[in-house]
Structures are given as C-alpha cells and as structure tokens.
C-alpha cells in the first residue's frame, strides 16, 4: 500500500542513484511528502539535493517537478507548512512553506515539530481508503 521511494534520512540510495529513484515515479501515481521549508533565494541553492549529470538540483526544483503529477501533496511538519524557523526574519534563504512556494491551496498540512506520526499515517490511511479529503478542511 505504501512504498517509500526516497526520504533523505533513511534512504539507502544516495546522489545520482537516489535522484533517479525520484525521477522514476514522476509518471506514476504517487503521494508527495515534503519535510522542510523550501529556500528560494539564489535559485534555491541554500538546499541542494544532488548534482545530476553535472547539474545542481535543488529542493526547490524537485518540489516543483514532483508536485506536477502528485495525486496528493502532504507537508509534514511546521517548516513545510509555514516555513518554520527557516522563514523567520531576516530569512536570508527566503524559505517558504510548500503552499506559498507552489501557490496552491490543495496541500494537506500536518504541522508540528515533529508532526504527530499518528496524524501522518492516519492521513495516509484515509487517502488510501477514501482517495480524497474534503478541501474545506485543508
């Protein structure tokens, strides 16, 4: 029911191999989980994920691309929900939460630092069983 393709802290793959795993899901049905604010200053270079075939790939770029075809996007934690401490003044990285970064109102937000794991997996279980959440409550 749930297969983690990539999560930086627990993934066995690193570098280009890990990025290729991320790319492999873009044309499938998936839920995108985001943990961490999205820095946008300097073209997102405050958070680089990988150098792939000579190109620096930022968190900003991965989130933008992965969000395009995601069935659902879930922000897990205060930072991806609202920017968290990363977005506090003076915010030199211009960090943003996922909703603000993507300019979308359909992002499922599970705040907290850390987010309550029961809320996270309860939300995933709900989505697996019912496929959608009433957007009025997001």
């Amino acid at each position: 029911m749930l297969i983690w393709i990539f999560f930086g802290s627990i993934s066995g793959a690193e570098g280009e191999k890990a990025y290729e795993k991320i790319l492999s899901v873009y044309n499938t049905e998936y839920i995108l989980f985001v943990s961490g604010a999205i820095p946008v200053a300097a073209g997102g270079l405050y958070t680089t994920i990988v150098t792939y075939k000579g190109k620096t790939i930022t968190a900003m770029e991965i989130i933008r691309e992965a969000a395009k075809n995601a069935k659902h996007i879930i922000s897990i934690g205060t930072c991806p929900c609202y920017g968290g401490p990363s977005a506090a003044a003076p915010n030199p990285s211009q960090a943003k939460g996922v909703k603000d970064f993507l300019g979308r109102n359909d992002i499922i937000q599970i705040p907290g630092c850390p987010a309550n794991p029961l809320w996270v997996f309860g939300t995933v279980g709900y989505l697996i069983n019912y496929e959608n959440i009433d957007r009025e409550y997001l």
Side-chain angles (χ1 to χ4, degrees):
M1 288 184 359
L2 182 63
I3 300 169
W4 285 109
I5 296 299
F6 179 79
F7 187 80
S9 301
I10 61 173
S11 180
E14 296 178 5
E16 289 193 3
K17 192 170 200 157
Y19 187 60
E20 286 173 350
K21 284 186 167 201
I22 294 168
L23 294 173
S24 75
V25 301
Y26 282 180
N27 293 317
T28 67
E29 186 173 284
Y30 59 92
I31 297 172
L32 173 62
F33 296 90
V34 182
S35 65
I38 312 301
V40 299
L45 289 175
Y46 280 81
T47 303
T48 61
I49 304 301
V50 67
T51 300
Y52 185 70
K53 297 184 179 179
K55 182 181 183 222
T56 300
I57 308 296
T58 65
M60 183 177 81
E61 184 175 344
I62 287 177
I63 299 304
R64 186 179 290 130
E65 286 302 311
K68 287 179 182 176
N69 294 324
K71 185 170 183 177
H72 302 286
I73 302 170
I74 303 176
S75 293
I76 302 173
T78 299
C79 291
C81 289
Y82 310 112
S86 301
N91 194 5
S93 70
Q94 296 175 12
K96 299 179 176 192
V98 176
K99 262 187 176 182
D100 289 339
F101 172 67
L102 293 174
R104 293 173 51 172
N105 290 322
D106 62 340
I107 311 300
I108 299 167
Q109 297 188 110
I110 305 173
C113 188
N116 185 318
L118 295 176
W119 300 344
V120 174
F121 287 101
T123 300
V124 171
Y126 186 91
L127 290 171
I128 289 170
N129 285 300
Y130 300 105
E131 303 217 2
N132 220 338
I133 290 178
D134 187 341
R135 299 295 178 195
E136 177 183 340
Y137 299 105
L138 295 181

